[in-house]
Every structure is written in C-alpha cells, then in structure tokens.
Amino acid sequence: MELARSSSFLLDGRNCSRRGKQHRGNFHLPSIFPQKVTGSNGCTKRAQFGRPIRRYSEYTVEKRSFVVNASDGVQEGGTVVAEKPHSQEFKLFAGTPTPFGATARDGGVNFAVYSGNASSATLCLISLSDLQENRVTEQIRLDSETNKTGSIWHVFLQGDFSDMLYGYKFDGKFSPNEGQYYDSSRILLDPYAKAVVSRGEYGALGPEGNCWPQMAGMVPSPDDQFDWEGDAPLHNPQKDLIIYEMHVRGFTRHESSHATHPGTYLGVVEKLDHLKELGVNCIELMPFQEFNELEYYSYNSVLGDYKLNFWGYSTVNYFSPMIRYSSVGMRNSGREALNEVKLLIREAHKRGIEVLMDVVFNHTAEGNERGPILSFRGVDNSAYYMLAPKGEFYNYSGCGNTFNCNHPVVRQFIVDCLRYWVTEMHVDGFRFDLASIMTRSSSLWDAVNVYGNPIDGDLLTTGTPLSIPPLVDMISNDPILRDVKLIAEAWDAGGLYQVGRFPHWGIWSEWNGKYRDTVRQFIKGTDGFSGAFAQCLCGSPNLYQGQGRKPWNSINFICAHDGFTLADLVTYNNKNNLANGEDNNDGENHNNSWNCGQEGEFASRLVKSLRKRQMRNFFLCLMVSQGIPMIYMGDEYGHTKGGNNNTYCHDNYVNYFRWDKKEETCTDFFRFCCLMIKFRLECESLGQDDFLTSKRLKWHGRIPGVPDWSKTSRFVAFSLMDSGKGEIYVAFSTSHLPVTITLPERPGFRWEPLVDTSKAAPYDFLAEDTPERNIAIQQYAHFLNGNLYPMLSYSSVILLLCPDTDQS
C-alpha cells in the first residue's frame, strides 16, 4: 500500500494516517474476562460484570494493582484475579521450548511461547461455548522452574481438547514509559496460533455490540488432515508470470457473481476459470491473514452503510487465515476454514495458477499506545515493536506502530511464519507490504546482538536503513524461502524509498512505482518522458541492470488496489474520496491521471471513445514491456470506484467485482485484454530473462531507425525479433495530432496490422476469428504498400512482418 513519500514520521503515533487509515485512539477496546474478588466465605464472587468461572474448594489468588491514565486505553483501577488450578482431566508435563506455538504430538499438545520480560505465564484453555460467554474453562499457571527455558514458557498437556481453544495471560511490569504492557487480566493470542476464533460472520458485531470480542487460538489435533491430491509447487518461471491482484471477498461478493458461496475462499474457487480465460497464471491475494474488519466500524452517512477495514492491512495474527472469509466461519474451531484456504490453493494450482500472499509485517492491529492489547503487546511489547527510549512507538508504517523486524526473536518469527505458509499451506510466494521497514535497524540495535561480535563504528540508531538487513538476509538464504516468489513494496511511510535499491540477493522483485508514474505521464501526453518511457518498456534497466538484476525483478503495474482503477485513471483529474468521511483529505493527491477532457463518468461520446482508447494504450504498454505485468482486479472490464482512490473502508459495490459489467464488455475491453495477454505469452521476446540488446531490439521514430528522445517527443516505437512471431513493430503516439509513420523496409515482406487501439472492438485486435478480418486489413493496403501506417492521436499499434505473397 503506497504512502505519501514524506521525510518525517510520527514518533508516538497519536495522529497516525496511512492513506486515510487513521488511528486516533478511538479503538473499540477488546473485552477482558471477568474480574474476580474473593468473598468472606472463600468463594469467588461476581464483580461488576461477567460471571464467576466456577466454585472450587481450593484455588490460588494473586493480587495486583496499578493506576494508569485512562486516556492510554488501559483499564483504570485494581485487579484481583482468582486462578483455578489445573483440572485432573489434563495431565501436565514440563513440555519443550520448541517448536513455538501449539503442536499436537505424542498423544497430547505441547505449548511454547516466547516472553522475555514476563514474571509469570498462565495457559488458558477455553471451550468454544465458554468463549462466547467470556469464560475461561481451564487456567494452568506455568512454573518458572519447570515450564521455562531461557525466555520460553512451555508445557505439555494430555487430555480431551475437543472444541478447545487457548490463549495466555502474562504478568510483569506495566510501565508504558519503559515499553512494557503486562496485564494479567487479559487473555492474549499466541503469536504462533494457526487459527483465530472470535466471530464467525464477516461484519457481524460480537456480543453486546463489541467490535473486539475476546479471541482465542485453535488447539491442533493429530487428526487434522487435508487431501492435497498430490499437489506440488508449480514453479512457474518468474519471467513468465501474469499477476492478478485480487481481494478474496470483493471478487465474488456482488450478487451478479451468482456464486454459491459469495465473498469466500470457495467463491474464488468457483470463479477461477475466469482467470484462466483471461490468461492469468498467478494471483496475488490482498491480506487474508487474520485481521479485524470491524476496526474502523462507524456509520457512513454518505453511503448509508458502515465503514469497515475492507483491505485488511492491519494484521492480528500472521499464522492464521481470515476465517470470516470462509463459508464455514468458526465451525470445528477454525479447522474447516483452514481447509477452505488449502482447497483454493490446490484448485488454483490445478489450473496452472500460482498463489501469492500480500503480507503486512511492517505493523500490527495493536496500533499506538492507545490501541488494544491483543497479542504481541501483551506478550512482549519491547521485543515485537520498535520503541523509542521512553517507550513511544516509532511509526514508520503510518499506522501507529512499527514491527521490530530485525530483532532476533521477531525475525525468526517472520521466517517461521513464511515457512509455514509455504510448507503447510502451499503458497507460492509473498508480496511484502511496506517492505522497506524490514531493512531498518531494530530497537536497541547493536552488532553483538545481531551478528555476535562488535563492528567498528557501529553507532546505528533505531530505524536506520541497513545495507544487509538480517531479516532480508535470512529470508533470501533460507533453503525453503529462497525458492519462492519474493516481492517487495520498496518504500515506507518514513520516507525510505528503495525502488531499484532494495537489498535483493538476486531473487527479490519490486513493485516498480517508477514504472507506473512514468507510463501514466507518457500515455497521457506529458512532454519530457519519451526516454524514461523507453526504459520502462525494456524492464527498467536504469534501475536494475547495474546491480546484476534481471527484467523480472520489476513488477510492472499501471493500477493497484491503492489509487485509481484503470477506468478512473482516464475519467478523473481529481480524487473523489468524500465517501470515506475524511473530507477528501485522505488518499494520494498526485495521480498523474487525465479525464480526457471532461470530469466524471457523464461525458460526451467523443470523450468516452478517447477514454477507451487510453485504457487500451495502458494495457498494451503493460503487455509489451519487459518485466512482470500485474493487473488489478476489475480493470479487465473497466471497473470504476467513482474516482475514489482510497477505498480501504468500503464493503460494498465500490470494491466488489461486477460480474454483470464484465459480461457487458465481453466483446469489448475484456476481449482486448484476453487477446493481449495471449499475445504476450506467445511471444518469447516479450518475457526475456535478461535485458534486450541491439541484436534483438531496434528503436524508431516516425522514420525507421531515427528515434526522437527530445523533451517534446510524444512518439516512441521499436521493432523486436521474435522466434515465434518473426518481427514485431510496436508504436505509441501520445500527441493530440494524428501522424503517418514510415515502417522499416523489409524486402520480400510486408507489415500487417494486428492491434490498433484507435479502432473500435473487435477491430482493435485483429485476431484470426475477427469478422471480416481480411477486409479490415485491406483497408490499409494503400498505406502498407508504401511502407506507411496512419496513427490517430493517443493511439498505439502492433504490426507483424509477413511474407509478401503479392510479389512476382
């Protein structure tokens, strides 16, 4: 998700804004389990709210009190907790410190969790029914002598875990000024939990209208199985990818999808054939690790619905899929939701489609110091977050906190997580949101801590960019992860912009934001971009070739989830974000868009015709550029968001794929996109593993072999030798005036038009089955006989070299 490239960042995160996602301390705080007080008869009595767990003849009581400022979002007053001793239904053993998380083995479950500063730890077992009633079923206090190794708390249990969930309580110092937030009254999620259970239905409030009801992790079982049917990684060559950025819920939620399970993983499965028809061989799923869509819950008077966290860039738990994207919700404690994700990946692989995850390791949903204590903050705040000396949260993410990625424990956590998704869930790679944060030094950075020995001059402060960041180093050299697709969004909210400079080890690709900006400028007819545009067509060698990288290190895109859609890019000069409720102050102000002469969807016939031409120009450019093309969901039929370039909060038609609109355009833009992707895949010269040389590539101007790189040039053309198609000629004219160009002379051959974006469908792409195709070609015979071709304003063409059968 792109951010304004500011050179400053907010240290304490009190007014944090990330493209409209503002965390100003108005979180809906999670409920905590009932407070208990001890009655005169030795029994647990009900406090001001909640219910007692049960009555016991013996129990231990721990007293703890503190007073904090209520504005910090922490409950004021004292806490008295009565803990139930472990039940005889479970047999307790010391357990082992590895692996982290809950692991089913040897007839029981081993629990292990890191907390370097906690003075005590309690494992909480919670049945699904008790979770709904805010009750704990069993509490097992861990012994610091028996159940702790180093900074890892662990225990092994044998017993009946049917429908059982778990969480932890940690005690220790509560001192925000020292970066510690221990609170023994809160049940926390295990960072390694493999499924998170709280609410089963997307957008539905919890008990008593709670937006943050208590969450708990699934306890695994040795019986958890899934039939992968022999599924194995596809390992599609990176240079051959056609990436499709997709939102799981938005893809099939609209009623026109007619999906049996709309808005779910199964809904995506139902529509995979659409992607196959389009020609896509890789989908990049926007965040579907557990997040809370109710995070921004508030009434939207503009659209008459409620604002939600639709995009999902606010992770609660990294190992767990979003269960409310499943058709089964909390059924079987999240196991069936887990299997739906696996089913989606398996079925995509059957169609030759790889699955990439958009992961958000730059910040979490816990926000700044006013945010909720859900997991990481209560487990070990000083380890998991990047903190200033007085406990303030660094805010390089723009969302209130910054994940402490290069801390030894945290970077191991991230590597473990990525490995899990590859080995257990079969994903094919990752796109890292705001990846530049992963290159910043951790809190309390020192060389001994990271490398094991001191380095002369090692005076790095927290957040300093590192040339060899330990986390990126670990991922890049991991024997599992180095073989999957790794894509960096090479910037962050603190002004660190690394496009072309992200530490790469020869395997990382980057979202090429410079490609997007340059192509938008040139296609809309801005002077001074012809040379930069040519670099984009070649895979941006100016950014990547000097470092020994390849064209496929560039992920080329015109549009993404963040910003205008392709249709809005040619319809609006200005953003129209009033529906977000932030007075149009959110979202990018510099979109490099052009409305083609009239603002908004209601325009003259001529303006609408030009807009369609410009959309074809953009898509053609994307498909003939070296590097990896990425398409945003809905752009293949011209989806509009009404000029809103920051639709993070809308769970409605604004973000839903409109299958009815796609059907309307099947013979128009969708057809053009399908044919252009097919053409790219058929041309070996358009997906090169290395940068082009003059042996294959020739540049032209309006005259062959004479390119015009002047500041006023709005014409770029090239010819390309292709083993399958022979020779290809491609030209872009972004002037407001028509032009007649001269084509390269090839004795014994003649040029034949294939694509002309100035033509209406189906003559914009003269496929073999185009009606009256030969007549359409003959209409240009008098030009082609003279090695000429007329181009209208704002148009692009592709011509193929064919034998001249008319020569005697």
Side-chain angles (χ1 to χ4, degrees):
M1 186 172 302
E2 184 162 14
L3 302 142
R5 299 171 196 165
S6 167
S7 61
S8 63
F9 64 96
L10 297 172
L11 185 67
D12 64 0
R14 291 182 183 273
N15 185 19
C16 311
S17 174
R18 181 178 175 190
R19 292 300 299 272
K21 292 185 281 190
Q22 301 194 1
H23 296 189
R24 299 192 180 96
N26 57 343
F27 288 86
H28 298 270
L29 292 175
S31 61
I32 60 175
F33 283 89
Q35 292 179 320
K36 312 296 185 303
V37 295
T38 304
S40 58
N41 61 356
C43 296
T44 300
K45 294 175 62 177
R46 179 177 178 180
Q48 295 300 314
F49 54 87
R51 305 178 185 176
I53 299 174
R54 290 172 190 165
R55 295 188 177 188
Y56 295 93
S57 58
E58 61 177 307
Y59 50 85
T60 60
V61 177
E62 178 198 6
K63 296 185 178 181
R64 173 174 179 265
S65 64
F66 53 84
V67 179
V68 297
N69 191 325
S71 65
D72 285 336
V74 182
Q75 186 171 351
E76 191 172 28
T79 305
V80 181
V81 179
E83 293 188 350
K84 166 189 171 182
H86 67 82
S87 165
Q88 295 304 312
E89 295 177 1
F90 290 94
K91 294 182 179 180
L92 276 65
F93 304 88
T96 61
T98 58
F100 286 134
T103 307
R105 60 181 177 84
D106 302 329
V109 178
N110 189 79
F111 297 86
V113 61
Y114 166 86
S115 183
N117 293 291
S119 60
S120 70
T122 300
L123 174 66
C124 300
L125 298 178
I126 313 162
S127 69
L128 190 58
S129 59
D130 279 348
L131 180 73
Q132 306 304 310
E133 297 295 330
N134 273 2
R135 290 195 298 253
V136 177
T137 309
E138 300 283 349
Q139 295 193 81
I140 301 169
R141 182 151 184 178
L142 306 186
D143 184 273
S144 60
E145 298 294 328
T146 306
N147 303 113
K148 188 180 182 186
T149 303
S151 297
I152 303 172
W153 299 84
H154 49 81
V155 66
F156 182 80
L157 301 183
Q158 289 181 335
D160 183 8
F161 290 98
S162 301
D163 294 322
M164 193 66 72
L165 309 170
Y166 79 104
Y168 289 99
K169 289 181 180 180
F170 291 97
D171 203 359
K173 183 180 291 187
F174 187 93
S175 177
N177 289 338
E178 298 178 75
Q180 303 296 349
Y181 285 81
Y182 288 108
D183 181 351
S184 62
S185 69
R186 296 182 184 274
I187 281 70
L188 305 171
L189 278 174
D190 178 3
Y192 279 79
K194 303 306 188 294
V196 173
V197 176
S198 62
R199 295 176 293 108
E201 182 182 349
Y202 185 93
L205 297 172
E208 299 180 358
N210 194 347
C211 290
W212 289 91
Q214 181 62 49
M215 295 177 282
M218 173 196 73
V219 177
S221 165
D223 298 327
D224 297 343
Q225 300 290 334
F226 178 77
D227 184 4
W228 281 104
E229 299 180 358
D231 180 69
L234 295 177
H235 290 309
N236 291 334
Q238 192 136 334
K239 68 183 183 65
D240 296 333
L241 295 184
I242 309 289
I243 299 177
Y244 186 89
E245 189 189 24
M246 174 198 294
H247 189 280
V248 171
R249 179 172 171 83
F251 193 52
T252 61
R253 187 65 187 88
H254 194 267
E255 59 185 12
S256 63
S257 74
H258 301 299
T260 305
H261 303 285
T264 67
Y265 302 114
L266 292 185
V268 176
V269 173
E270 293 181 61
K271 294 296 186 178
L272 284 174
D273 288 339
H274 164 75
L275 303 178
K276 189 70 174 177
E277 179 186 6
L278 181 60
V280 166
N281 57 18
C282 180
I283 52 177
E284 181 182 298
L285 298 178
M286 290 176 64
F288 67 94
Q289 291 164 310
E290 182 67 27
F291 68 93
N292 184 4
E293 74 279 11
L294 300 179
E295 185 173 357
Y296 315 132
Y297 191 77
S298 60
Y299 182 69
N300 185 344
S301 60
V302 179
L303 297 181
D305 60 5
Y306 287 84
K307 293 172 62 174
L308 301 179
N309 178 3
F310 186 77
W311 282 351
Y313 289 92
S314 193
T315 312
V316 168
N317 185 278
Y318 291 98
F319 279 84
S320 307
M322 177 71 165
I323 69 168
R324 290 176 300 286
Y325 278 173
S326 73
S327 65
V328 293
M330 298 187 299
R331 188 188 305 170
N332 201 8
S333 299
R335 291 179 177 84
E336 293 189 34
L338 210 63
N339 285 342
E340 277 196 19
V341 179
K342 295 177 179 179
L343 176 66
L344 165 57
I345 295 169
R346 187 190 72 191
E347 294 305 305
H349 285 175
K350 287 181 180 179
R351 292 163 174 80
I353 299 173
E354 294 189 332
V355 179
L356 308 183
M357 293 178 65
D358 193 341
V359 291
V360 191
F361 287 112
N362 56 79
H363 76 284
T364 77
E366 291 182 307
N368 59 26
E369 73 280 0
R370 298 180 181 181
I373 300 174
L374 307 171
S375 178
F376 304 98
R377 179 166 296 156
V379 172
D380 198 326
N381 184 73
S382 63
Y384 283 105
Y385 293 111
M386 197 179 291
L387 304 178
K390 293 186 178 181
E392 306 99 323
F393 291 89
Y394 280 91
N395 188 26
Y396 292 109
S397 70
C399 292
N401 65 57
T402 303
F403 216 47
N404 205 18
C405 295
N406 284 304
H407 185 284
V409 169
V410 182
R411 66 176 184 262
Q412 185 63 58
F413 165 80
I414 293 173
V415 169
D416 288 346
C417 179
L418 298 175
R419 278 186 158 200
Y420 169 79
W421 284 99
V422 172
T423 59
E424 298 297 323
M425 304 298 288
H426 290 205
V427 301
D428 301 282
F430 306 91
R431 179 264 186 187
F432 294 82
D433 183 63
L434 298 188
S436 289
I437 283 176
M438 300 195 305
T439 73
R440 293 184 180 272
S441 60
S442 63
S443 297
L444 306 177
W445 173 273
D446 66 85
V448 175
N449 184 39
V450 176
Y451 298 111
N453 54 70
I455 299 175
D456 290 340
D458 184 41
L459 300 176
L460 294 173
T461 58
T462 300
T464 301
L466 305 171
S467 59
I468 306 178
L471 172 60
V472 182
D473 187 350
M474 285 181 68
I475 295 172
S476 304
N477 292 290
D478 185 87
I480 293 173
L481 301 178
R482 68 171 289 106
D483 289 331
V484 304
K485 276 73 177 182
L486 301 171
I487 302 172
E489 184 184 40
W491 53 78
D492 66 21
L496 184 56
Y497 190 75
Q498 296 176 306
V499 172
R501 298 181 292 107
F502 189 84
H504 57 83
W505 277 265
I507 60 176
W508 285 76
S509 299
E510 298 172 3
W511 265 27
N512 191 344
K514 293 185 178 180
Y515 176 98
R516 172 204 57 206
D517 297 343
T518 298
V519 170
R520 287 187 179 191
Q521 291 276 29
F522 180 79
I523 294 295
K524 75 187 184 80
T526 305
D527 286 339
F529 284 90
S530 59
F533 179 72
Q535 294 275 10
C536 292
L537 293 171
C538 292
S540 301
N542 56 317
L543 297 177
Y544 301 110
Q545 190 172 26
Q547 301 183 47
R549 299 173 81 177
K550 304 296 183 181
W552 50 261
N553 290 122
S554 174
I555 306 297
N556 302 329
F557 65 103
I558 309 295
C559 300
H561 69 274
D562 197 359
F564 280 149
T565 66
L566 186 59
D568 289 348
L569 184 65
V570 299
T571 305
Y572 295 91
N573 283 352
N574 305 303
K575 66 183 181 182
N576 183 22
N577 297 1
L578 289 173
N580 299 352
E582 300 177 39
D583 297 325
N584 215 36
N585 291 318
D586 62 301
E588 179 60 64
N589 292 318
H590 307 288
N591 296 284
N592 295 319
S593 61
W594 179 43
N595 62 19
C596 297
Q598 288 180 267
E599 187 78 356
E601 295 185 49
F602 297 101
S604 68
R605 180 180 61 82
L606 290 176
V607 168
K608 288 184 176 180
S609 176
L610 177 56
R611 289 172 178 173
K612 289 184 177 181
R613 190 185 314 170
Q614 288 289 74
M615 288 173 63
R616 290 190 283 263
N617 289 335
F618 279 120
F619 202 86
L620 185 149
C621 172
L622 193 60
M623 290 301 128
V624 301
S625 297
Q626 300 296 323
I628 301 174
M630 186 186 80
I631 308 160
Y632 175 54
M633 180 185 84
D635 278 350
E636 69 267 35
Y637 69 82
H639 181 76
T640 178
K641 296 183 179 181
N644 192 326
N645 70 356
N646 189 34
T647 59
Y648 72 97
C649 59
H650 297 294
D651 178 39
N652 53 46
Y653 66 91
V654 173
N655 280 317
Y656 294 166
F657 189 103
R658 293 290 301 273
W659 294 92
D660 52 343
K661 299 296 183 183
K662 178 254 179 177
E663 293 302 324
E664 290 175 8
T665 62
C666 258
T667 57
D668 191 359
F669 191 60
F670 178 69
R671 170 187 177 271
F672 181 84
C673 293
C674 291
L675 291 171
M676 277 304 312
I677 293 176
K678 182 174 182 289
F679 176 76
R680 177 186 174 86
L681 295 175
E682 291 173 347
C683 295
E684 55 86 24
S685 61
L686 293 180
Q688 287 291 292
D689 198 37
D690 212 338
F691 292 99
L692 298 170
T693 68
S694 58
K695 292 182 179 180
R696 183 187 289 264
L697 172 69
K698 304 294 182 184
W699 293 105
H700 308 289
R702 297 179 185 179
I703 300 173
V706 186
D708 182 2
W709 307 123
S710 67
K711 291 185 177 180
T712 58
S713 173
R714 298 187 183 182
F715 184 88
V716 172
F718 64 91
S719 56
L720 198 59
M721 299 303 301
D722 186 88
S723 62
K725 299 291 184 180
E727 189 171 359
I728 304 167
Y729 178 90
V730 182
F732 297 86
S733 179
T734 62
S735 170
H736 63 287
L737 300 173
V739 61
T740 299
I741 60 175
T742 303
L743 302 171
E745 290 191 19
R746 300 290 185 262
F749 295 86
R750 62 183 287 125
W751 292 101
E752 184 175 285
L754 177 70
V755 179
D756 189 334
T757 61
S758 69
K759 307 301 179 187
Y763 302 105
D764 50 357
F765 196 115
L766 296 175
E768 291 296 329
D769 61 351
T770 302
E772 300 178 333
R773 178 178 180 272
N774 291 334
I775 295 177
I777 293 175
Q778 285 300 314
Q779 288 178 343
Y780 288 90
H782 57 295
F783 284 101
L784 295 172
N785 288 338
N787 244 24
L788 303 173
Y789 193 85
M791 292 184 67
L792 293 185
S793 60
Y794 302 105
S795 68
S796 50
V797 298
I798 299 177
L799 295 93
L800 301 180
L801 194 64
C802 304
D804 190 352
T805 57
D806 292 337
Q807 289 189 349
S808 57

